Amino acid sequence: MSRGDFPEFLDLPPLSGARGTVRLPGSKSISNRTLLLAALSEGSTDIHDLLDSDDTRRMLEALVALGVKVEGDLASGRLTVHGCGGKFPQRSADLFLGNAGTAIRPLTAVLALSGGSFVLSGVARMHERPIGDLVNALRALGADIACTANEGYPPLRIGAGRISVTAPVRVRGDVSSQFLTSLLLAMPLLAQPVEMVVEGELISRPYVDITLNLMARFGVDVERTDWTRFRLSGQNRYRSPGSIHVEGDASGASYFLAAGVIGGGPVRVEGVGRASIQGDVRFADALESVGGVVTWGKNWIEASGPSEGQRPRAFDLDLNHIPDAAMTLAVLALFADGPCTLRNIASWRVKETDRLAAMANELRKVGATVEEGADQLVVTPPGRLRSGVIETYDDHRMAMCLALATLGGVPLRILDPGCVAKTFPDFFQRLSAVTQQAEVPVIAIDGPAASGKGTVARLVADALGFRYLDSGALYRAMGLAALRKGVNLDDEAAVMGVGEACSIAMEDHRLLLDGEDVTGEIRDERVSRAASAVATLPRVRALLMWHQRSFRALPGLVAEGRDMGRVVFPEAVLKVYLTASAEERARRRHKQLIEKGMHASLASLLQEIADRDSRDSTRPVAPMMQSGDSLVLDSSGLSPEEVRDRILGWFRSRTCH
Ligand code: DC
């Protein structure tokens, strides 16, 4: 699946558990390094289990544009690359590398030392991702590289420089380890002894290890002293190993292993294991440290949750060595038994997006309290997760990580899910194959105005510990938004324009309109009238549909209002139509108003209720009516608690609650 095949958003159902086996797609880091090494080698290389994704396509296209001969189809995961012995046939090319850091960085180093003229560019975000430390290290060797827009950032124009090695090559290691990786991969092209010195603390070391490992597979040994000096003898050139297998993606494994811990498990990933050369397999150690149960095979890892009823333990971890998989821990923190600290992750800021800021935003949406530091996050899990609309920032890992929040029994809408095509095109299918959808019981309560359905629905929700949806409040918020913008309330297009632009959220019984608490204001009479008006517009009802359905989360939901049982939750286990005589309802409203110190005449209230009943039952859109399968409950003469108990009795007889 490529990016274009994905919808605008994906609605993920609430999940109740995870168990099963996932065969991982190939590792992006290994795939792109292997493609480049095979292209630079003498001889042909059969590559198996390559990752088919946006980033590997960008690398492959670039190599083909540089004249490298390739047979086979990336979609099959198997390619034969005919190496060019360190000299690309094409001496000039214009290469578009999307948002693939693992392509643009090593190609910059290799092309800068190759003699030729090349242009390297990418998507807008790529042009915001730093490459200056690499460019400067190459310039010190005599390379001719111009940053054509902003110094230190792509796009780059590379010319034929005068390369000479007179001193150790110095490179900074504290922004991205890919700079060192890129230089290491390119150095054998110089065919002379060369030493590289890392300045600053080298981050993400395990990724450099992958580089050294793969270089060795292609015949080049690097002598390493600590993590500061790397020496090449100048004797070795890249030679094809003949055939090579790409390991499964260890960062991708993190989502499934975490699912095993959060959702009970066991979940097994195949394609990485004890023999893996990827540092991200150490994510499994982090899972173990929070109470997960992890077992290792040569080519698989399996994870299960802590014992029944226990949550993962709160953690405080330095995650510099596993920056990508660390994102998965940020989401795991939602399920922990206390606040969790993720330290030493400043590199998140220069990845596909500013991942520190992005992660903080999205975790807050599902209910966490998040403190975002310069190089750390502190995540305090909420008592109960909330549903939400998740933005993904053109970042595959944001989408994959946040999807795990559905294991908290909440549905989520993921915007631009196609971003996963960068490294894991069928991620959502594989997640659904190893997870179970939650059976969320819904009780729908409808009835005429002033029938007491709000009070009763809340009492039922409290008694069962269920969530509560006051759907009327959502219509009221829409009405208020339309009033504030001064649009004509009968003008469907105008009201829709307002509705689509505003954000309505419910947090702990407070209603937020564009972030402002309007819980009190929506009870005004003018807002009631506006709500009635906008509630007759079919497109408004459709717009609020997802909102309402997003409340369907574990352990269950009591949803109150029009349409709840017939349209919004037709699958509800119990549908109640709560009614009372008009006189009784007028008396209740009268009593309420008197208690609030307001004056009202019983006769006029009765008239108001009769008018509203007739308006509600004759309106063409969503008229008030009982659904055929609802149970009618006449509450005249009953206290709210008596009504609650009647409903609880019905519910218990239909389920085992
Ligand atoms: O229940 P309430 O008074 O807060 O509802 C406000 C308005 O929204 C009311 O006119 C009915 C309408 N509404 C609706 O059409 N569908 C719902 N599910 C809930 C309320």
Side-chain angles (χ1 to χ4, degrees), residues 170-189:
R170 295 184 172 276
V171 63
R172 271 182 65 181
D174 53 357
V175 174
S176 167
S177 67
Q178 281 184 23
F179 302 148
L180 174 60
T181 275
S182 301
L183 288 168
L184 284 166
L185 289 170
M187 285 306 136
L189 303 185

Side-chain angles (χ1 to χ4, degrees), residues 81-381:
V81 177
H82 300 289
C84 60
K87 267 205 169 336
F88 290 123
Q90 290 297 334
R91 313 306 299 159
S92 76
D94 192 341
L95 306 175
F96 174 76
L97 298 158
N99 200 6
T102 54
I104 198 168
R105 289 161 175 168
L107 281 169
T108 296
V110 164
L111 294 175
L113 305 184
S114 315
S117 59
F118 307 95
V119 173
L120 279 66
S121 65
V123 297
R125 172 63 187 168
M126 179 63 102
H127 298 169
E128 295 169 2
R129 297 175 68 185
I131 198 166
D133 295 334
L134 175 61
V135 166
N136 289 337
L138 290 163
R139 282 177 181 157
L141 279 167
D144 170 17
I145 308 176
C147 301
T148 58
N150 292 312
E151 184 53 31
Y153 297 87
L156 306 176
R157 177 172 293 118
I158 298 177
R162 287 167 186 274
I163 308 297
S164 67
V165 185
T166 51
V169 182
R170 295 184 172 276
V171 63
R172 271 182 65 181
D174 53 357
V175 174
S176 167
S177 67
Q178 281 184 23
F179 302 148
L180 174 60
T181 275
S182 301
L183 288 168
L184 284 166
L185 289 170
M187 285 306 136
L189 303 185
L190 295 173
Q192 55 181 300
V194 54
E195 186 174 10
M196 299 176 30
V197 178
V198 179
E199 295 183 331
E201 177 82 2
L202 179 64
I203 62 167
S204 315
R205 289 174 188 176
Y207 283 100
V208 175
D209 235 0
I210 294 179
T211 307
L212 299 179
N213 224 299
L214 290 173
M215 287 172 74
R217 295 289 302 278
F218 281 86
V220 173
D221 289 316
V222 178
E223 195 186 313
R224 174 171 79 75
T225 314
D226 300 326
W227 288 95
T228 51
R229 276 173 194 274
F230 297 81
R231 206 172 289 123
L232 281 91
S233 69
Q235 307 290 312
N236 302 347
R237 293 155 60 130
Y238 288 129
R239 270 176 287 105
S240 165
S243 157
I244 189 164
H245 282 267
V246 172
E247 278 182 24
D249 188 57
S251 316
S254 72
Y255 311 116
F256 296 95
L257 295 173
V261 170
I262 301 165
V267 174
R268 179 179 285 205
V269 293
E270 291 177 348
V272 293
R274 256 197 314 268
S276 174
I277 61 169
Q278 296 170 78
D280 267 1
V281 293
R282 301 271 62 95
F283 172 78
D285 302 342
L287 288 181
E288 227 167 6
S289 78
V290 302
V293 179
V294 178
T295 39
W296 295 75
K298 182 162 172 281
N299 197 32
W300 56 264
I301 308 175
E302 194 174 274
S304 309
S307 45
E308 188 74 35
Q310 283 201 322
R311 309 177 78 168
R313 276 194 294 277
F315 59 84
D316 182 336
L317 293 170
D318 183 323
L319 298 166
N320 190 269
H321 60 302
I322 51 169
D324 283 358
M327 293 176 73
T328 313
L329 286 171
V331 176
L332 182 92
L334 294 172
F335 298 88
D337 64 5
C340 301
T341 306
L342 296 91
R343 292 184 194 278
N344 207 355
I345 48 173
S347 68
W348 281 19
R349 294 216 185 266
V350 295
K351 299 287 173 111
E352 279 79 343
T353 183
D354 176 345
R355 287 177 168 169
L356 269 164
M359 188 59 87
N361 283 344
E362 301 313 304
L363 292 179
R364 285 185 190 122
K365 279 189 192 163
V366 294
T369 306
V370 185
E371 278 170 53
E372 178 192 339
D375 66 348
Q376 67 170 36
L377 278 186
V378 182
V379 181
T380 304

